[in-house]
Amino acid sequence: MTATPEPPRAFGPSGGPPPGCPAHQGTGGPGGVQRLYGAAASTDPMGLYERLRTEHGPVAPVLLEGDVPAWLVLGYDEILQVTRNPRRFRRDGRALSPWQRGEIGADSPIGPVLLWGPDCTHQDGGTHQRLRGAVNESLERFDRRGLRRYVQLYGHQLIDGFAAEGRGEILSQYAQQLPMLVLTVVLGLPEEEGPRLVEASRQLLIGTEKAIEADRYIQRALTELVATKHTTPGHDLASWLIAHPADLSDDEVLHHLRLVLVAANETTTNLIVNTLRVVFTHPRFRGSLHGGRMTLPAAVEQVLWDEPPISVCPGGFASEDVELGGQNIRKGDILLLGLAAANADPAIRPSPSTPMHGNRSHLSFTSGPHECPGQDIGRAITVTGIEVLLSRLPDLRLMLEPDELTWSSSTWSRHLVALPVEFTPRTRAERLSLVPPAPGRRAAPGRRPGPPAAAPAPDQPAASARRSPWAVLRGLLGRSTERAPAERPPERRGR
């Protein structure tokens, strides 16, 4: 049982806000401090961030589950100050005040997200560089074209499940399933683990009482994977981390696999469904695609500006007393990065309607030494997954009015509850003409081929250069769909 925390100390030595402070108008937390959880905070997260910005400036005091005090960094420049100053804002918080005061325990719903683990996101200095280098170098071994082949393969398999019906629910039947199926290949997990891991990773980030149980399940599955890869290594992230010269321990390998699994699945699922929703519901956005003023990859960047897959993420702990955004941050205080709020910061984006497509200076993957290492893999899964869906079902359309869509929110992210669509039913025979060959060589019966190992030779053209992303969107927007020439599967290396 966690202790009842005191309000953030920046309010004053008495623990309460000074007279006239806007915190008196809070929503029920100790000292009137805004809670980042509960129904009130989930109804309109962006509205909440803007209200906090108006009341407190670019850094605002908030409360996490269990009323654990923290600072929410809302300003674009202030987030850069946090992420690019690892000595002042550390990721290893074991010796800092939240644990010393007993505010976060093993039974806390936010424990799986905030508690220390032996992965690069919770390390500083030389240890961080060693672990981060191993992750970066291992992820770079994947052939992006081969990875796209897996997205195509699994995308078509998922669409087979509802194509003949003429209607479907894109979130649960496609966007939630596709990234995890591809990630089982990336990590080296058995394919049948995919559906169970989808639900477990979702519960982990929702932050309910099921989060702890979900985290235990994920760690059990990954523990078994690491043990298996010691004896039967393959072309996958688990095997490459085990064999990396950085000499990672099994515990370090496990926690990095967990990090990639949970973060990549959640962000990619949200990015796929958010991009599709915008294409379906925003005529101006759709018109930019239709007129060729915006490619699909550029459209994804626009969505990353407007609706980051993760709204808030941990930003570390102050290693010393420091002033940030006009607030007095004390040593040991928790900092949260308000990524969605920072992307809408009026200081760098005066109007929310300002087009930002193709601009990658957003903070949706954070910044600095802890910037997301797998963001390009997430982009590849997103763009290819949307291409497959819209080329297979070119007349896909939303079944509801945009204002009838419903959302759920947690401290960390905002999710569509469902994205129901309808389309002209498609037969299996029509599907067979579109399905790409399986990546690499055929697997033995009962086995799945591993992911592509090494990058292609520099003089080989990229798949994206051979086929415009807009070609697969033409059918959706009332124009004929171009057919790309047949492509050979990418060469598998390292066998």
Side-chain angles (χ1 to χ4, degrees):
M1 187 172 180
T2 58
T4 301
E6 58 189 20
R9 288 160 293 178
F11 278 123
S14 65
C21 176
H24 279 298
Q25 304 166 16
T27 57
V33 183
Q34 173 67 53
R35 289 184 167 113
L36 272 190
Y37 64 96
S42 300
T43 302
D44 180 16
M46 285 302 296
L48 171 62
Y49 305 150
E50 291 310 310
R51 180 169 64 79
L52 288 172
R53 196 196 312 271
T54 299
E55 295 178 353
H56 300 284
V59 179
V62 293
L63 297 172
L64 294 170
E65 284 85 345
D67 284 345
V68 175
W71 296 99
L72 179 61
V73 186
L74 304 160
Y76 186 97
D77 289 340
E78 286 72 20
I79 284 186
L80 293 182
Q81 290 181 50
V82 173
T83 57
R84 297 179 181 181
N85 286 278
R87 291 189 178 182
R88 182 168 287 180
F89 303 101
R90 302 181 64 83
R91 290 302 185 101
D92 186 345
R94 286 174 292 177
L96 300 175
S97 55
W99 283 266
Q100 293 174 345
R101 295 196 300 263
E103 295 167 3
I104 304 176
D107 59 345
S108 170
I110 59 171
V113 178
L114 286 183
L115 287 176
W116 181 88
D119 57 62
C120 59
T121 63
H122 293 92
Q123 302 284 0
D124 304 296
T127 302
H128 169 260
Q129 293 175 10
R130 175 179 70 88
L131 297 175
R132 176 68 182 234
V135 172
N136 287 348
E137 291 167 16
S138 297
L139 288 174
E140 283 299 317
R141 295 184 65 173
F142 288 102
D143 177 359
R144 297 297 189 268
R145 291 186 301 160
L147 191 69
R148 290 186 178 94
R149 290 284 183 166
Y150 274 101
V151 179
Q152 293 172 331
L153 180 68
Y154 288 127
H156 281 294
Q157 289 180 1
L158 290 170
I159 295 168
D160 282 345
F162 58 86
E165 302 297 324
R167 61 176 59 197
E169 200 287 283
I170 293 300
L171 176 61
S172 62
Q173 293 181 290
Y174 193 75
Q176 282 183 339
Q177 304 295 328
L178 181 60
M180 187 62 78
L181 287 171
V182 178
L183 287 171
T184 61
V185 177
V186 171
L187 271 65
L189 282 159
E191 184 176 330
E192 58 271 16
E193 286 283 3
R196 287 176 288 183
L197 289 169
V198 167
E199 179 60 21
S201 62
R202 177 176 173 271
Q203 292 295 334
L204 186 62
L205 286 172
I206 288 176
T208 66
E209 64 279 357
K210 295 182 179 180
I212 297 171
E213 180 183 347
D215 193 42
R216 288 172 181 163
Y217 174 78
I218 291 171
Q219 297 208 37
R220 282 197 303 270
L222 295 178
T223 298
E224 294 174 5
L225 173 65
V226 173
T228 299
K229 293 302 176 179
H230 271 292
T231 56
T232 56
H235 294 278
D236 51 65
L237 184 60
S239 300
W240 293 334
L241 287 175
I242 290 171
H244 195 276
D247 194 26
L248 276 66
S249 68
D250 282 0
D251 204 29
E252 289 172 337
V253 172
L254 183 154
H255 277 79
H256 284 95
L257 296 176
R258 171 185 176 270
L259 175 67
V260 172
L261 181 78
V262 175
N265 181 68
E266 174 73 5
T267 56
T268 308
T269 291
N270 285 351
L271 189 53
I272 290 172
V273 76
N274 286 347
T275 303
L276 286 169
R277 181 191 65 80
V278 173
V279 170
F280 294 154
T281 61
H282 286 63
R284 290 178 59 188
F285 192 92
R286 188 164 165 170
S288 294
L289 286 170
H290 179 77
R293 297 187 298 275
M294 178 166 50
T295 64
L296 183 53
V300 169
E301 297 306 317
Q302 180 71 48
V303 173
L304 284 167
W305 273 100
D306 295 338
E307 299 181 30
I310 300 295
S311 302
V312 176
C313 74
F317 308 85
S319 61
E320 59 188 41
D321 291 355
V322 63
E323 187 274 336
L324 179 69
Q327 301 285 9
N328 295 316
I329 312 298
R330 299 291 183 87
K331 179 179 179 179
D333 283 357
I334 300 173
L335 289 107
L336 307 174
L337 307 180
L339 306 180
N343 283 350
D345 187 348
I348 58 100
R349 193 178 178 190
S351 172
S353 62
T354 302
M356 305 296 283
H357 49 79
N359 185 332
R360 287 195 173 190
S361 60
H362 55 75
L363 296 178
S364 295
F365 298 110
T366 75
S367 184
H370 290 278
E371 185 173 2
C372 175
Q375 57 185 278
D376 287 337
I377 289 180
R379 286 183 172 102
I381 295 174
T382 297
V383 171
T384 307
I386 293 174
E387 287 179 345
V388 169
L389 182 67
L390 299 182
S391 62
R392 183 80 178 276
L393 307 173
D395 60 345
L396 202 65
R397 56 196 176 272
L398 196 61
M399 292 178 64
L400 301 176
E401 293 299 320
D403 59 2
E404 294 178 316
L405 295 171
T406 56
W407 302 79
S408 66
S409 300
S410 69
T411 298
W412 314 108
S413 61
R414 182 174 183 251
H415 315 255
L416 266 176
V417 173
L419 191 66
V421 296
E422 56 185 357
F423 48 86
T424 302
R426 296 295 194 272
T427 66
R428 183 172 179 80
E430 292 173 305
R431 180 255 196 193
L432 294 177
S433 66
L434 295 171
V435 177
R441 296 179 292 188
R442 289 185 178 273
R447 295 185 61 190
R448 179 182 59 184
D459 58 347
Q460 293 178 323
S464 59
R466 294 194 298 268
R467 185 182 186 188
S468 166
W470 173 239
V472 296
L473 289 170
R474 292 178 186 270
L476 175 67
L477 304 178
R479 300 172 67 178
S480 61
T481 303
E482 298 175 1
R483 287 284 183 91
E487 301 172 14
R488 296 178 59 190
E491 179 183 355
R492 298 286 299 285
R493 302 187 179 190
R495 285 283 190 184

